[in-house]
Amino acid sequence: LRWSDKRNLLWRRNISGYGQSTPVIFGERVFTTSTLGKNSEELIVRCHKVSNGKLLWEKNFPSPNEIERSQYVSQAAPSPVVDSSKVYVFFESGKMIALSHLGEVKWERNLTEEYGPLEGNHGVGSSLFQNKKSVGLLIDHAGPSYLLRISKSNGRNDWKTDRPERVSWSTPTLSESSDGKQILYVSSNGVVEAYDFSTGNKLWNYDGVEGNTVASPTLSEDLVIIGSSKDGHCLALKRGSLDSNAERLVWVAEDATCSFSSPLA
């Protein structure tokens, strides 16, 4: 009922740098990311103990692309994902790294070196997502955009789907049905799409959505709910296979908008 800077806090640890990412936890370990320097020259990954906040390890990596700091540019915004053996991190400079829970680098990549610089006025906001064997990443920006599925074991692409220029900071949402089929839902700057995550093939798309550049899609049992910053464009769509997209729209919110936060169902 009461929580403040001094009341009901179990522990607090100051960390250097600046990070807009969400911490991730596995067991007794909490992992965080941040960047340090006037131009985000250093990329930092840390691991603390959950029970008492003790720093277990910290790893610093040079940024492959320096990005001038400002209040309008994201800084360590993509959130990591973690599983039973590794933590996977991605930074807006294009650096992607897989580390063990002890901080050992297992593999790393530089996506800007592979696919070109990440263009845009506000940096990158899309976070990683995962299933048991793979990590996924959406890069929609003012340049050649793409959707990746990357093997957790070696860091190589399982597939890469090229996309048109479509600037957004949205993180896709992955679902798995009872029969094991994995469908990925993407809401990004004008369009909502469903992909078969095993192959990267697009299953359907719904056009004409405005203001859907940040919020992630939210899933209920049979709907995908789309957040938008524009009035009249927060909506719910049927998730299954349909004969036409005219059947897909279920409702449009009367007055709700989502500038940054994602809907909850």
Side-chain angles (χ1 to χ4, degrees):
L1 296 178
R2 292 181 176 86
W3 187 31
S4 71
D5 285 347
K6 298 180 180 180
R7 188 167 187 174
N8 287 331
L9 288 184
L10 182 61
W11 54 263
R12 163 177 280 166
R13 296 291 179 269
N14 292 326
I15 58 177
S16 58
Y18 188 92
Q20 295 170 303
S21 54
T22 299
V24 294
I25 292 175
F26 196 98
E28 260 294 291
R29 297 174 187 266
V30 53
F31 303 91
T32 59
T33 61
S34 60
T35 64
L36 187 64
K38 183 179 179 181
N39 295 293
S40 298
E41 298 95 337
E42 288 186 62
L43 313 176
I44 307 173
V45 186
R46 293 183 184 85
C47 177
H48 288 80
K49 193 171 182 179
V50 171
S51 58
N52 59 18
K54 178 185 177 182
L55 180 65
L56 299 177
W57 53 261
E58 176 181 306
K59 298 290 181 178
N60 293 52
F61 303 89
S63 174
N65 299 290
E66 295 186 2
I67 302 169
E68 185 176 359
R69 287 184 180 275
S70 84
Q71 60 181 333
Y72 301 108
V73 177
S74 63
Q75 299 168 43
S79 296
V81 293
V82 62
D83 60 18
S84 61
S85 63
K86 301 184 192 76
V87 58
Y88 309 85
V89 301
F90 174 66
F91 293 89
E92 60 271 13
S93 57
K95 192 80 165 178
M96 180 180 288
I97 311 165
L99 304 101
S100 74
H101 286 198
L102 299 177
E104 302 163 325
V105 175
K106 295 302 183 180
W107 52 259
E108 56 184 299
R109 293 177 62 175
N110 180 355
L111 299 186
T112 54
E113 187 177 78
E114 295 178 44
Y115 306 127
L118 302 179
E119 307 286 353
N121 295 329
H122 305 296
V124 174
S126 296
S127 296
L128 298 173
F129 54 93
Q130 66 174 333
N131 63 12
K132 290 182 179 179
K133 295 183 178 180
S134 306
V135 174
L137 176 65
L138 172 71
I139 294 294
D140 275 356
H141 68 123
S145 300
Y146 48 89
L147 180 64
L148 298 176
R149 173 172 159 160
I150 297 168
S151 169
K152 286 183 173 180
S153 62
N154 56 29
R156 298 172 186 162
N157 288 354
D158 292 329
W159 49 256
K160 175 177 180 277
T161 297
D162 292 325
R163 297 167 57 81
E165 176 183 320
R166 192 187 295 279
V167 179
S168 85
W169 299 265
S170 173
T171 302
T173 302
L174 182 62
S175 75
E176 183 171 2
S177 60
S178 57
D179 60 2
K181 189 172 185 179
Q182 296 188 342
I183 308 297
L184 184 68
Y185 296 90
V186 176
S187 175
S188 176
N189 202 347
V191 68
V192 180
E193 299 160 305
Y195 288 87
D196 183 338
F197 194 56
S198 63
T199 63
N201 294 330
K202 188 187 296 186
L203 302 175
W204 56 261
N205 66 277
Y206 185 91
D207 294 311
V209 185
E210 299 179 31
N212 60 327
T213 57
V214 179
S216 293
T218 299
L219 305 179
S220 68
E221 186 173 348
D222 55 353
L223 301 178
V224 52
I225 301 169
I226 303 303
S228 165
S229 61
K230 187 178 174 77
D231 288 340
H233 289 265
C234 282
L235 45 87
L237 304 172
K238 294 178 183 176
R239 289 171 56 183
S241 299
L242 299 171
D243 293 332
S244 72
N245 259 351
E247 305 172 58
R248 197 166 295 282
L249 181 64
V250 178
W251 53 254
V252 176
E254 291 180 352
D255 57 6
T257 59
C258 299
S259 292
F260 297 104
S261 60
S262 302
L264 286 173

